[in-house]
Amino acid sequence: MIRVAVVDDHPVFRLGMAALLDSFDGVRVVGQAASAAEARALLGLDPAAEPAPPGAGPDVVLMDLDLGDGSGVDVTRDLVRAAPGARVLVVTMHEDEDAVVAAVRAGARGFLVKSASPAEVERAVRTVADGAMILSPSVADRAMAYVVGGRAAARVPFPQLTDREREVLDLVAAGLDNASISRRLVLSPKTVRNHVANVLAKLAVRDRSAAIVRAREEGLGEQR
């Protein structure tokens, strides 16, 4: 039996994915989380949470990257550090190369887009459960183009940030407020606030002003 946990902040997708996984032979969903905080509690990363009984934890964790209150990359990194044998399969809307690289560097063993077919999901879960790594064809093609194109060697400011977080930081450094950023990127105000909070945490700065200083030192904030 492959025990699976599903971490995603979109309830319709999370519940649908859980139902799909439970329909596979030999696969059982043993937990769900709708946020980074819930994921940490579910996966035993929160010292205040009650630990799961031995053998009750998941064999595979399906992890979204954008969790509203945090980053799935950060949760993945912390999980793999705490349990080096943890097997994380990222399932996300993002197909950009930086997201793939960030997830793999954090310790993810697979990367699927949310448009993947049920057969692709089942194959990925079983592959990751067996200890192998898997990328969906579209992601593999983009990742290969990223490496062959030499972008992996290029210096990117704040590599710990996702592409979207870096884009938001660039606009913050340019002097835009959250409402303006929301309109510019066609994102909800809540999503922009979450991205700004993630940026402050990842850069280990106290406030927006300090983030602007750091960003401008790296050449961000020039666009208007």
Side-chain angles (χ1 to χ4, degrees), residues 52-143:
D59 300 307
V60 177
V61 179
L62 268 67
M63 182 76 67
D64 191 15
L65 292 184
D66 295 327
L67 296 176
D69 66 337
S71 166
V73 171
D74 292 338
V75 177
T76 297
R77 183 181 300 108
D78 292 344
L79 174 60
V80 172
R81 285 175 178 171
R87 294 164 183 174
V88 177
L89 173 61
V90 169
V91 184
T92 180
M93 293 294 294
H94 299 291
E95 294 186 65
D96 62 272
E97 298 86 349
D98 286 345
V100 177
V101 172
V104 172
R105 283 179 175 171
R109 302 304 303 269
F111 198 105
L112 280 177
V113 292
K114 287 186 175 180
S115 59
S117 68
E120 289 175 318
V121 172
E122 181 176 12
R123 182 170 63 251
V125 168
R126 297 191 188 282
T127 299
V128 171
D130 285 340
M133 176 172 278
I134 186 169
L135 298 176
S136 66
S138 62
V139 169
D141 289 343
R142 294 172 69 91

Side-chain angles (χ1 to χ4, degrees), residues 6 12 31 46 59 65 87 95 108 115 118 132 137 163 176 184 191 210:
V6 182
V12 173
D46 182 356
D59 300 307
L65 292 184
R87 294 164 183 174
E95 294 186 65
S115 59
D163 273 356
L176 276 67
R184 176 75 68 87
T191 298

Side-chain angles (χ1 to χ4, degrees), residues 10 38 49 79 130 212:
H10 292 88
E38 288 184 13
L79 174 60
D130 285 340
I212 290 174

Side-chain angles (χ1 to χ4, degrees), residues 9 31 68 81 98 100 137 160 169 179 183 189 211:
D9 65 342
R81 285 175 178 171
D98 286 345
V100 177
Q160 68 270 41
L169 177 59
R183 291 191 296 271

Side-chain angles (χ1 to χ4, degrees), residues 147-211:
V147 174
V148 172
R151 287 186 55 195
R155 182 182 180 280
V156 176
F158 308 115
Q160 68 270 41
L161 302 182
T162 65
D163 273 356
R164 179 63 83 185
E165 289 167 349
R166 195 176 298 110
E167 188 175 18
V168 169
L169 177 59
D170 190 28
L171 295 175
V172 168
L176 276 67
D177 59 17
N178 285 3
S180 299
I181 295 173
S182 175
R183 291 191 296 271
R184 176 75 68 87
L185 300 181
V186 195
L187 298 173
S188 71
K190 179 182 177 182
T191 298
V192 173
R193 288 197 302 272
N194 289 335
H195 282 314
V196 171
N198 289 341
V199 168
L200 297 182
K202 290 183 179 182
L203 298 187
V205 294
R206 292 182 298 178
D207 53 33
R208 197 181 187 97
S209 297

